[in-house]
Amino acid sequence: MEAAFYFAENFERGTRGLAPLGRIDGLQSEARSWSSQLAARNTLFHDRSLMSDIRVALPGAPTAGEAVGMGYSAEQIHAAFMASPAHRALILSPSYHWVGIGIVYGAGGTIWVTERFAG
């Protein structure tokens, strides 16, 4: 399912003439770990240690951002990200070059998603 999010994010960027986001395994691991915490707590919130986590995964990253969401399909969650001005800005920012997407399946078929962006 993570591939569906990578495709959707890069499709959105491509239609606007932006370079695709590359994948970083360390960012993906960090994102998956955060999604696990969200699912365990059954709530959405952002990680206050985001920059330090991203700098461990990608040393020297000057910028970082995070999108978190939950729903029942990749399409539903991606549509919600694009409808949110803050999340849309992350996805379409030319400042970001890398993304790690972590997905965890929760109770009742809930999908928890964290996208971590780095410049």
Side-chain angles (χ1 to χ4, degrees):
M1 172 152 320
E2 287 154 350
F5 281 94
Y6 283 108
F7 176 81
E9 308 307 23
N10 283 325
F11 177 81
E12 297 287 356
R13 291 173 65 87
T15 62
R16 291 158 178 89
L18 297 168
L21 296 166
R23 296 182 192 191
I24 297 287
D25 290 337
L27 285 179
Q28 185 169 337
S29 296
E30 292 292 333
R32 191 174 295 125
S33 174
W34 191 250
S35 290
S36 293
Q37 291 182 49
L38 297 175
R41 296 177 185 176
N42 196 36
T43 190
L44 291 173
F45 59 100
H46 289 281
D47 184 358
R48 292 180 186 257
S49 63
L50 176 64
M51 272 311 294
S52 61
D53 290 349
I54 286 180
R55 287 198 173 125
V56 168
L58 188 65
T63 59
E66 179 181 70
V68 295
M70 56 84 63
Y72 296 97
S73 72
E75 296 81 10
Q76 175 193 31
I77 299 165
H78 175 71
F81 283 162
M82 292 306 290
S84 161
H87 291 124
R88 181 183 180 90
L90 286 170
I91 293 165
L92 299 178
S93 173
S95 298
Y96 296 122
H97 308 291
W98 307 100
V99 66
I101 299 172
I103 295 174
V104 171
Y105 296 91
T110 305
I111 302 166
W112 297 84
V113 179
T114 299
E115 297 182 348
R116 291 209 164 165
F117 299 89

